[in-house]
Short mmCIF file of all heavy atoms in Angstrom, two decimals:
data_model
loop_
_atom_site.label_atom_id
_atom_site.label_comp_id
_atom_site.label_asym_id
_atom_site.label_seq_id
_atom_site.Cartn_x
_atom_site.Cartn_y
_atom_site.Cartn_z
N LEU A 1 -29.08 30.79 23.25
CA LEU A 1 -29.29 31.51 22.05
C LEU A 1 -28.35 31.08 20.90
O LEU A 1 -27.18 30.83 21.21
CB LEU A 1 -29.01 33.01 22.24
CG LEU A 1 -29.79 33.69 23.33
CD1 LEU A 1 -29.13 35.09 23.73
CD2 LEU A 1 -31.24 33.75 23.02
N ARG A 2 -28.81 30.81 19.85
CA ARG A 2 -28.07 30.47 18.63
C ARG A 2 -27.22 31.69 18.08
O ARG A 2 -27.70 32.82 18.32
CB ARG A 2 -28.86 29.85 17.50
CG ARG A 2 -29.42 28.48 17.94
CD ARG A 2 -30.17 27.82 16.96
NE ARG A 2 -29.25 27.51 15.79
CZ ARG A 2 -29.50 26.81 14.71
NH1 ARG A 2 -30.76 26.42 14.57
NH2 ARG A 2 -28.68 26.67 13.82
N THR A 3 -26.25 31.41 17.39
CA THR A 3 -25.38 32.56 16.97
C THR A 3 -26.11 33.54 16.05
O THR A 3 -25.93 34.73 16.27
CB THR A 3 -24.04 32.08 16.26
OG1 THR A 3 -24.42 31.17 15.22
CG2 THR A 3 -23.13 31.37 17.22
N PRO A 4 -26.98 33.25 15.20
CA PRO A 4 -27.72 34.18 14.44
C PRO A 4 -28.62 35.09 15.38
O PRO A 4 -28.68 36.28 15.08
CB PRO A 4 -28.70 33.34 13.49
CG PRO A 4 -28.05 32.17 13.38
CD PRO A 4 -27.41 31.77 14.72
N ASP A 5 -29.05 34.59 16.43
CA ASP A 5 -29.94 35.39 17.35
C ASP A 5 -28.96 36.33 18.19
O ASP A 5 -29.30 37.58 18.36
CB ASP A 5 -30.64 34.54 18.37
CG ASP A 5 -31.66 33.58 17.75
OD1 ASP A 5 -32.33 33.98 16.77
OD2 ASP A 5 -31.78 32.44 18.30
N VAL A 6 -27.82 35.77 18.49
CA VAL A 6 -26.88 36.79 19.17
C VAL A 6 -26.40 37.81 18.28
O VAL A 6 -26.34 39.02 18.59
CB VAL A 6 -25.71 35.96 19.69
CG1 VAL A 6 -24.59 36.86 20.24
CG2 VAL A 6 -26.11 34.91 20.68
N ALA A 7 -26.15 37.50 17.02
CA ALA A 7 -25.76 38.45 16.02
C ALA A 7 -26.69 39.56 15.78
O ALA A 7 -26.33 40.73 15.78
CB ALA A 7 -25.37 37.81 14.60
N ALA A 8 -27.99 39.26 15.72
CA ALA A 8 -29.12 40.01 15.50
C ALA A 8 -29.20 41.06 16.76
O ALA A 8 -29.29 42.26 16.57
CB ALA A 8 -30.45 39.37 15.33
N ARG A 9 -29.08 40.46 17.93
CA ARG A 9 -29.10 41.32 19.16
C ARG A 9 -27.93 42.35 19.24
O ARG A 9 -28.16 43.41 19.76
CB ARG A 9 -29.16 40.45 20.41
CG ARG A 9 -30.51 39.66 20.50
CD ARG A 9 -30.52 38.81 21.77
NE ARG A 9 -31.73 38.09 21.74
CZ ARG A 9 -32.34 37.71 22.82
NH1 ARG A 9 -31.88 38.04 24.08
NH2 ARG A 9 -33.47 36.92 22.84
N LEU A 10 -26.76 41.95 18.80
CA LEU A 10 -25.68 42.79 18.81
C LEU A 10 -25.50 43.68 17.64
O LEU A 10 -24.67 44.49 17.57
CB LEU A 10 -24.44 41.93 19.03
CG LEU A 10 -24.20 41.11 20.38
CD1 LEU A 10 -22.98 40.31 20.25
CD2 LEU A 10 -24.21 42.12 21.51
N GLY A 11 -26.30 43.41 16.56
CA GLY A 11 -26.16 44.15 15.28
C GLY A 11 -24.85 43.87 14.57
O GLY A 11 -24.26 44.87 13.90
N ILE A 12 -24.40 42.61 14.64
CA ILE A 12 -23.15 42.26 13.98
C ILE A 12 -23.38 41.00 13.05
O ILE A 12 -24.46 40.41 13.18
CB ILE A 12 -21.96 41.95 15.04
CG1 ILE A 12 -22.36 40.83 15.96
CG2 ILE A 12 -21.66 43.26 15.68
CD1 ILE A 12 -21.22 40.55 16.93
N SER A 13 -22.46 40.49 12.39
CA SER A 13 -22.63 39.32 11.64
C SER A 13 -22.39 38.14 12.49
O SER A 13 -21.84 38.12 13.53
CB SER A 13 -21.59 39.31 10.42
OG SER A 13 -20.24 39.08 10.92
N GLY A 14 -22.86 36.93 11.92
CA GLY A 14 -22.67 35.70 12.63
C GLY A 14 -21.11 35.37 12.63
O GLY A 14 -20.66 34.93 13.64
N ALA A 15 -20.38 35.70 11.66
CA ALA A 15 -18.94 35.49 11.61
C ALA A 15 -18.24 36.33 12.78
O ALA A 15 -17.30 35.77 13.42
CB ALA A 15 -18.33 35.90 10.29
N GLU A 16 -18.79 37.47 12.98
CA GLU A 16 -18.22 38.31 14.16
C GLU A 16 -18.59 37.68 15.52
O GLU A 16 -17.71 37.69 16.42
CB GLU A 16 -18.78 39.76 14.09
CG GLU A 16 -18.15 40.73 15.16
CD GLU A 16 -16.70 41.00 14.97
OE1 GLU A 16 -16.10 40.69 13.92
OE2 GLU A 16 -16.19 41.59 15.89
N VAL A 17 -19.71 37.09 15.64
CA VAL A 17 -20.06 36.40 16.82
C VAL A 17 -19.02 35.18 17.06
O VAL A 17 -18.54 35.00 18.22
CB VAL A 17 -21.52 35.77 16.80
CG1 VAL A 17 -21.78 34.88 18.04
CG2 VAL A 17 -22.43 36.92 16.77
N TYR A 18 -18.74 34.52 16.06
CA TYR A 18 -17.74 33.44 16.21
C TYR A 18 -16.34 33.96 16.52
O TYR A 18 -15.73 33.45 17.34
CB TYR A 18 -17.62 32.52 14.86
CG TYR A 18 -18.86 31.63 14.75
CD1 TYR A 18 -19.85 31.70 13.88
CD2 TYR A 18 -18.82 30.49 15.57
CE1 TYR A 18 -20.86 30.88 13.73
CE2 TYR A 18 -19.78 29.50 15.45
CZ TYR A 18 -20.89 29.74 14.48
OH TYR A 18 -21.80 28.84 14.36
N ARG A 19 -16.01 35.06 15.95
CA ARG A 19 -14.82 35.78 16.31
C ARG A 19 -14.73 36.10 17.78
O ARG A 19 -13.78 35.87 18.49
CB ARG A 19 -14.57 37.02 15.41
CG ARG A 19 -13.09 37.55 15.61
CD ARG A 19 -12.93 38.99 15.17
NE ARG A 19 -13.70 39.91 16.03
CZ ARG A 19 -13.30 40.26 17.27
NH1 ARG A 19 -12.30 39.71 17.80
NH2 ARG A 19 -13.98 41.21 17.91
N LEU A 20 -15.83 36.64 18.34
CA LEU A 20 -15.87 36.99 19.76
C LEU A 20 -15.75 35.74 20.59
O LEU A 20 -15.08 35.70 21.69
CB LEU A 20 -17.18 37.66 20.02
CG LEU A 20 -17.27 39.07 19.48
CD1 LEU A 20 -18.72 39.70 19.68
CD2 LEU A 20 -16.25 40.03 20.05
N ILE A 21 -16.33 34.61 20.20
CA ILE A 21 -16.34 33.40 20.93
C ILE A 21 -14.89 32.82 20.80
O ILE A 21 -14.23 32.60 21.98
CB ILE A 21 -17.29 32.37 20.38
CG1 ILE A 21 -18.72 32.84 20.67
CG2 ILE A 21 -17.02 30.99 20.95
CD1 ILE A 21 -19.84 31.98 19.89
N PHE A 22 -14.26 32.79 19.74
CA PHE A 22 -12.92 32.32 19.69
C PHE A 22 -11.86 33.11 20.43
O PHE A 22 -10.87 32.64 20.76
CB PHE A 22 -12.54 32.05 18.17
CG PHE A 22 -13.40 30.87 17.49
CD1 PHE A 22 -13.90 31.07 16.28
CD2 PHE A 22 -13.49 29.68 18.13
CE1 PHE A 22 -14.66 30.08 15.69
CE2 PHE A 22 -14.24 28.66 17.53
CZ PHE A 22 -14.75 28.90 16.34
N ALA A 23 -12.13 34.44 20.37
CA ALA A 23 -11.24 35.34 21.07
C ALA A 23 -11.43 35.31 22.67
O ALA A 23 -10.76 36.05 23.36
CB ALA A 23 -11.46 36.76 20.54
N GLY A 24 -12.46 34.63 23.15
CA GLY A 24 -12.75 34.52 24.54
C GLY A 24 -13.53 35.82 25.09
O GLY A 24 -13.58 35.94 26.23
N GLU A 25 -14.00 36.60 24.22
CA GLU A 25 -14.75 37.77 24.62
C GLU A 25 -16.26 37.47 24.85
O GLU A 25 -16.92 38.28 25.57
CB GLU A 25 -14.52 38.90 23.54
CG GLU A 25 -13.20 39.33 23.31
CD GLU A 25 -13.11 40.42 22.24
OE1 GLU A 25 -14.02 41.26 22.32
OE2 GLU A 25 -12.20 40.38 21.45
N LEU A 26 -16.73 36.45 24.37
CA LEU A 26 -18.11 35.99 24.55
C LEU A 26 -18.02 34.48 24.73
O LEU A 26 -17.50 33.73 23.95
CB LEU A 26 -18.89 36.41 23.23
CG LEU A 26 -20.33 35.95 23.25
CD1 LEU A 26 -21.10 36.81 24.41
CD2 LEU A 26 -21.00 36.28 21.82
#
């Protein structure tokens, strides 16, 4: 899944998806 798809599924921004990835949470 691309980050915009993940963001839409989680109801968050794309920037927040990147934050989760960089934090090791996703």
Side-chain angles (χ1 to χ4, degrees):
L1 305 167
R2 292 185 62 176
T3 54
D5 299 323
V6 174
R9 290 180 186 212
L10 293 176
I12 60 177
S13 70
E16 183 69 7
V17 173
Y18 282 107
R19 189 200 66 74
L20 292 171
I21 292 169
F22 292 133
E25 297 179 42
L26 181 63

